[in-house]
Amino acid sequence: MASADNKLYFIITAKPPSPNGYITAGEICFIDKQRYNEWQKRQTDILPVVCMGKLSDTRLDKVLLQPLLRREAELLMALESSDDRLLALKNPEALEKASKLSEGCQVLVEYKGQWFKGVIRYIGRLTSHISDPITGVFFGVELQGEDKGKGQNDGSYFHKTYFSCSKNSGIFAPFTRIKPVDHKPSAPPLHTQSPLSMTSTEPLKAGDRVTFFGDKNAHHGMVMDIKDHQDGKMVLISTDKDEEGKQGGERWIPLDCVIKEELLNKDETEKIDTSRGPGMGGSADSDEITVGSLVQFLGKTIIYGIVRWIGQLPDFPGMTAGLELEESSAGVSDGTYKGQRYFNCAPHCGLFVKLSSCRPDDRFSAVKKKLFNGQSDNDEAMLSEEQENVPPIRTEDVSNRLIGKMKGIQGHCNSCYMDSALFSVFSCSSVLDSLLFKTTEYKTIQTILLKNIVNPLRKQGFVSEHSVMNLRKQLQKREHCPTYTTDEKDPEEFLSLIMQEIFLLDPPLILCSQAGGSQKLQSCYYYQIFMDYNHHLVLPTVQQLLEHSFYSNSLKLSEVPSCLILTMPRSGKSFKMFPKIIPSTELDITGLLADGPQQCVLCGQLATCECAECFRDKTFSDTGFKYFCGECSTQVHFHQQRQYHKPSTLLLPQGFSYSQSSGSDRRTPPREKLELFAVLCIETSHYVSFVKYGPQDTDWIFFDSMADRVGESDGYNIPEVQACPEVGRYLHMPLAQLANQVPREMEGVAKRLFCDGYMYLYQSKTMCLYR
């Protein structure tokens, strides 16, 4: 391969048309310079480029490609999302500044929504993946001064040290979370943490136009100086008018009471003091709004939040609402205004707006509002049906359609088992879509499932709790279970019910029992993994657990299943057997098939026999059924430890033959694999789910139908879907390193996947089309 310096780099600026529709806008690609010159001579607009993470060429029109310098490509590669790369591309000045940064530069670095002062100590990659010519470049920053100890590490990332600093004083960040500090002799740059200026990414300095707040009114002026005081930072401002109305005058003002005018115009004018357009306000709507109401208001886009406080603020006429916003970092406060706290919320999630500019959240109509309070009995008549049939959410649409609060399926009254199961099966997969269109006598249940749950989930990203409750009521009416509207169930119980009893789906799993020397077929809708205690697994993968369970129970697969639902082993009725289980994102079931060509574990050729006694022998491999060709079997069982083994002969499938001259068919048997698309987890009787929604290692989302709640007994739950790319990073971690991870210290929600995994859902891309 040519060196990385001999490459030309591009970013794809738009989604290519078919047949390259699988390529997304925002991907980085490259081509060798010499090859580029050869194609230029052909005077063609098509270039054979290679996208990062892929091995083969992709021919794209040059109009879709924007050239990048190598450093620019490396900086953009550090951004996980293609959308983030395209957004960063719109700010070429920031990209150019980041390209010029070097170790030792003083910067501001963003972490958990706040900006801290620091010094760059490391610039480079954080992974050892080398199949691509370049990898993402990150900045390692050591926090300075009063911001020391507010970071995330000591200069180490996944047990590798990139620079040294004190505990929790190091941060690794892409260039979009780095701002260079411009030093001015008259005033050193300061990190402002005023409640109103928390969204500032620029330090306050001499010469800035600012606004500060007096006892009654807002005042304007220019920064003259900034000094430390025993009570904190103080800013000397030359005012436009003093409090007596005279021009000029200088005043020392606490830094917390000062905001740059450009930020005030940008954030506060738009968010706090802006009258709303037609249809977004009105006294009728405002009269309905109280503390705890879900509301929306119009800024540059429609923004949603929860009312946490209503009252009057200094300097603002009329009634004001203090909102906690659904979208993090969309606000300018943590519930404080001018140093006084009015309510509590996370930084950057609080916002004060005119009460008259708010209206009830239109995602909850008046009908739904009544239903939240249990005021309707005519359930079926009030369903809001989504008539068209909607396909699963595409990878590129997940971030816009699913991520956020009030996304997914809303939980209510012990429904989490059903919410998580429905979300896992239908949000991003079509493997069980046949349920939605089969002929059934339970047409009402099928209509509710399709029109009121699956279609709205896929089209709007949200399903109200009423739709799920109506499904539960219908199941209860049909006397399948008298407690479906009140009690918690197991997700496999629910899935088996709708697949087997409601829709009469052919069982997707056909098992072949080989106990007693005879073969018996049994069909089922899911498989419960049972483990004997004669094993040495400590940190098992799902692959190992399934193989051990099949071995212990003398089972094989009769055919490749379109959908394989696995529940994990339990010790007794409710206790986990393993503290951690590693999800196998790809499940190789070749060795589990009763009929079909098998591969010799030693030479890779077509196997002719199987040895059950060799299953636990780690000489050949750590796990799995052991198949051998004739020659390898003879050598293996010549050893004194295995001479009493009794290998069984395999029946070769049609088209394969045993060669007397070479000992075996030289062709390599094909591998049958299933892909993981969802995991249900349980902790303290509450089910949540993870969904693998795309091809990238980091394409994971986490769903909780009861992530938050408004009100008490007469309130309702707020579901939430969040991206969790950290899952992919842990899955790539060596097993020994992963075993040493302390669960409570694992990043994001990853701990719940590894420690609380209960049900794993796999699909076959080739077989699901025929079910």
Side-chain angles (χ1 to χ4, degrees):
M1 178 183 287
S3 68
D5 292 330
N6 198 33
K7 304 281 185 192
L8 296 175
Y9 297 94
F10 302 90
I11 185 170
I12 302 171
T13 56
K15 181 176 175 61
S18 179
N20 296 318
Y22 62 93
I23 301 293
T24 61
E27 290 194 48
I28 308 293
C29 54
F30 63 91
I31 184 174
D32 184 87
K33 286 183 181 179
Q34 182 177 355
R35 193 179 188 194
Y36 174 80
N37 292 333
E38 292 173 355
W39 277 75
Q40 286 289 86
K41 293 177 183 178
R42 302 182 186 183
Q43 296 183 342
T44 176
D45 290 332
I46 303 299
L47 279 182
V49 297
V50 180
C51 291
M52 297 295 180
K54 298 178 174 63
L55 300 177
S56 58
D57 289 350
T58 300
R59 298 193 177 190
L60 297 176
D61 195 312
K62 287 192 292 187
V63 73
L64 300 174
L65 304 176
Q66 178 174 324
L68 298 171
L69 298 175
R70 179 185 176 186
R71 175 56 80 179
E72 293 174 336
E74 290 173 331
L75 291 170
L76 290 169
M77 281 282 288
L79 305 179
E80 295 180 356
S81 164
S82 296
D83 291 337
D84 290 342
R85 295 191 196 109
L86 292 174
L87 185 62
L89 201 64
K90 296 179 181 179
N91 190 357
E93 183 180 352
L95 195 57
E96 181 182 0
K97 286 184 178 180
S99 300
K100 297 178 181 178
L101 289 174
S102 59
E103 293 182 19
C105 288
Q106 295 192 15
V107 294
L108 296 175
V109 57
E110 188 270 339
Y111 178 58
K112 291 186 176 180
Q114 298 190 49
W115 291 86
F116 301 110
K117 294 180 294 185
V119 175
I120 295 177
R121 299 301 188 197
Y122 171 78
I123 302 177
R125 68 187 189 185
L126 297 179
T127 64
S128 57
H129 182 62
I130 58 174
S131 62
D132 292 328
I134 61 172
T135 56
V137 165
F138 292 82
F139 295 85
V141 179
E142 179 183 3
L143 301 185
Q144 301 288 301
E146 61 187 17
D147 291 334
K148 276 190 174 182
K150 298 179 180 179
Q152 61 183 161
N153 54 55
D154 60 355
S156 299
Y157 183 80
F158 280 140
H159 300 285
K160 182 176 180 180
T161 300
Y162 293 90
F163 65 93
S164 297
C165 66
S166 56
K167 184 178 180 181
N168 294 330
S169 293
I171 293 175
F172 291 101
F175 80 97
T176 51
R177 290 166 48 201
I178 299 289
K179 298 291 183 183
V181 172
D182 298 323
H183 287 285
K184 298 292 177 98
S186 57
L190 297 176
H191 170 46
T192 310
Q193 292 187 353
S194 162
L196 289 179
S197 61
M198 291 179 72
T199 56
S200 173
T201 60
E202 299 291 338
L204 194 63
K205 58 184 182 298
D208 284 341
R209 291 284 306 172
V210 295
T211 295
F212 64 96
F213 299 90
D215 294 335
K216 296 181 179 179
N217 301 309
H219 302 273
H220 308 278
M222 180 182 293
V223 174
M224 304 298 294
D225 196 6
I226 304 173
K227 290 185 177 180
D228 289 321
H229 188 268
Q230 62 181 3
D231 295 328
K233 302 285 186 182
M234 300 293 290
V235 183
L236 180 61
I237 300 175
S238 176
T239 61
D240 296 340
K241 288 184 179 181
D242 62 17
E243 291 185 340
E244 296 178 358
K246 296 180 180 180
Q247 189 69 28
E250 296 180 350
R251 295 185 58 183
W252 287 97
I253 303 295
L255 180 61
D256 285 348
C257 296
V258 178
I259 183 173
K260 293 172 73 170
E261 282 191 354
E262 63 188 74
L263 294 174
L264 183 65
N265 293 334
K266 175 182 175 182
D267 293 325
E268 297 304 306
T269 301
E270 290 181 4
K271 295 182 178 179
I272 294 182
D273 201 24
T274 301
S275 298
R276 305 303 161 188
M280 293 304 297
S283 59
D285 284 340
S286 298
D287 291 342
E288 298 178 16
I289 296 171
T290 59
V291 173
S293 295
L294 281 176
V295 297
Q296 65 184 45
F297 66 97
L298 182 63
K300 290 183 178 179
T301 60
I302 295 179
I303 300 176
Y304 301 95
I306 303 171
V307 177
R308 297 302 190 192
W309 175 85
I310 294 177
Q312 289 187 313
L313 287 177
D315 309 322
F316 285 96
M319 297 300 290
T320 301
L323 307 182
E324 180 179 359
L325 304 184
E326 282 186 8
E327 184 179 350
S328 60
S329 301
V332 295
S333 171
D334 62 351
T336 60
Y337 176 71
K338 291 176 60 174
Q340 182 174 345
R341 179 167 298 282
Y342 292 87
F343 64 93
N344 291 295
C345 70
H348 310 296
C349 287
L351 196 62
F352 294 95
V353 300
K354 290 181 179 179
L355 181 61
S356 60
S357 70
C358 300
R359 70 173 240 181
D361 190 332
D362 63 8
R363 295 174 297 179
F364 299 90
S365 64
V367 170
K368 290 180 181 177
K369 185 174 181 181
K370 290 179 180 179
L371 292 172
F372 285 147
N373 295 323
Q375 298 175 3
S376 175
D377 296 323
N378 190 8
D379 300 318
E380 294 184 39
M382 288 189 168
L383 288 176
S384 174
E385 293 187 356
E386 189 66 53
Q387 295 298 331
E388 62 183 81
N389 297 323
V390 186
I393 301 175
R394 299 183 303 173
T395 301
E396 57 268 32
D397 295 331
V398 166
S399 60
N400 293 328
R401 195 171 301 175
L402 267 186
I403 305 298
K405 291 186 177 181
M406 274 300 174
K407 295 293 185 178
I409 300 175
Q410 186 180 36
H412 175 66
C413 193
N414 294 322
S415 68
C416 61
Y417 72 95
M418 189 178 292
D419 307 328
S420 57
L422 290 170
F423 184 88
S424 298
V425 169
F426 293 113
S427 61
C428 301
S429 172
S430 63
V431 69
L432 289 179
D433 273 18
S434 59
L435 292 174
L436 308 174
F437 309 106
K438 280 181 64 68
T439 302
T440 176
E441 62 178 294
Y442 299 111
K443 197 65 180 176
T444 301
I445 293 177
Q446 188 179 52
T447 299
I448 295 171
L449 183 61
L450 174 61
K451 304 291 186 181
N452 304 119
I453 296 177
V454 176
N455 283 349
L457 174 63
R458 292 173 173 178
K459 186 173 183 179
Q460 303 161 7
F462 175 76
V463 178
S464 76
E465 56 87 12
H466 172 66
S467 296
V468 179
M469 177 56 77
N470 202 47
L471 176 62
R472 297 167 75 183
K473 288 180 178 179
Q474 291 298 321
L475 293 174
Q476 185 166 290
K477 283 181 182 179
R478 298 304 189 272
E479 298 182 353
H480 289 293
C481 180
T483 58
Y484 248 98
T485 59
T486 56
D487 292 1
E488 181 180 302
K489 310 292 180 185
D490 293 326
E492 66 268 27
E493 177 184 351
F494 164 65
L495 291 175
S496 294
L497 172 64
I498 62 172
M499 286 191 290
Q500 182 175 2
E501 297 187 36
I502 302 297
F503 299 112
L504 303 177
L505 182 72
D506 291 336
L509 188 58
I510 309 298
L511 298 177
C512 177
S513 175
Q514 300 177 320
S518 60
Q519 292 191 356
K520 296 180 180 179
L521 297 182
Q522 53 182 309
S523 60
C524 50
Y525 292 87
Y526 72 94
Y527 180 71
Q528 167 72 60
I529 292 179
F530 292 99
M531 297 288 293
D532 60 32
Y533 290 90
N534 184 25
H535 66 80
H536 303 288
L537 300 177
V538 177
L539 186 62
T541 64
V542 175
Q543 177 89 40
Q544 292 173 323
L545 292 175
L546 182 60
E547 290 170 344
H548 275 260
S549 183
F550 268 42
Y551 170 76
S552 300
N553 296 281
S554 300
L555 294 174
K556 291 288 183 69
L557 291 171
S558 177
E559 59 184 45
V560 177
S562 60
C563 181
L564 177 59
I565 301 175
L566 302 175
T567 57
M568 292 300 101
R570 317 295 281 186
S571 178
K573 185 177 180 180
S574 58
F575 297 98
K576 297 182 291 187
M577 284 191 69
F578 302 96
K580 289 192 190 118
I581 294 176
I582 310 303
S584 299
T585 55
E586 194 173 62
L587 201 62
D588 190 335
I589 62 169
T590 310
L592 304 180
L593 292 170
D595 297 315
Q598 300 293 343
Q599 190 174 4
C600 177
V601 295
L602 296 182
C603 69
Q605 296 184 35
L606 184 69
T608 59
C609 63
E610 175 189 1
C611 182
E613 289 92 341
C614 286
F615 179 87
R616 301 181 188 275
D617 197 325
K618 295 185 178 181
T619 304
F620 317 113
S621 61
D622 288 338
T623 186
F625 289 84
K626 304 303 188 295
Y627 299 96
F628 303 98
C629 66
E631 182 177 348
C632 291
S633 179
T634 300
Q635 294 178 356
V636 165
H637 294 100
F638 184 75
H639 194 281
Q640 60 180 3
Q641 291 183 351
R642 307 182 195 94
Q643 59 184 340
Y644 296 108
H645 289 189
K646 297 178 180 180
S648 58
T649 302
L650 295 177
L651 294 177
L652 294 181
Q654 186 176 2
F656 289 86
S657 62
Y658 184 82
S659 172
Q660 295 294 335
S661 60
S662 62
S664 178
D665 193 313
R666 291 289 180 178
R667 287 175 292 172
T668 301
R671 309 301 298 179
E672 293 288 352
K673 297 181 179 181
L674 306 178
E675 66 173 17
L676 178 67
F677 70 92
V679 181
L680 274 69
C681 302
I682 182 172
E683 183 183 21
T684 59
S685 299
H686 181 57
Y687 288 96
V688 295
S689 67
F690 291 81
V691 170
K692 182 75 165 61
Y693 66 88
Q696 302 299 321
D697 295 334
T698 53
D699 290 343
W700 285 88
I701 52 177
F702 171 74
F703 165 63
D704 185 348
S705 66
M706 302 178 182
D708 199 359
R709 185 169 179 84
V710 172
E712 299 299 332
S713 59
D714 60 344
Y716 50 89
N717 293 303
I718 297 179
E720 181 177 8
V721 180
Q722 57 180 291
C724 50
E726 66 273 9
V727 166
R729 294 193 287 272
Y730 282 107
L731 287 174
H732 275 287
M733 189 179 291
L735 288 181
Q737 186 177 346
L738 185 57
N740 292 327
Q741 289 286 316
V742 179
R744 66 175 178 273
E745 295 179 0
M746 295 181 78
E747 184 180 351
V749 293
K751 172 261 178 186
R752 304 184 75 166
L753 176 64
F754 289 94
C755 299
D756 302 327
Y758 177 77
M759 175 183 285
Y760 293 75
L761 292 87
Y762 289 87
Q763 62 185 357
S764 169
K765 282 191 172 182
T766 56
M767 294 300 295
C768 65
L769 300 176
Y770 306 101
R771 281 284 173 185

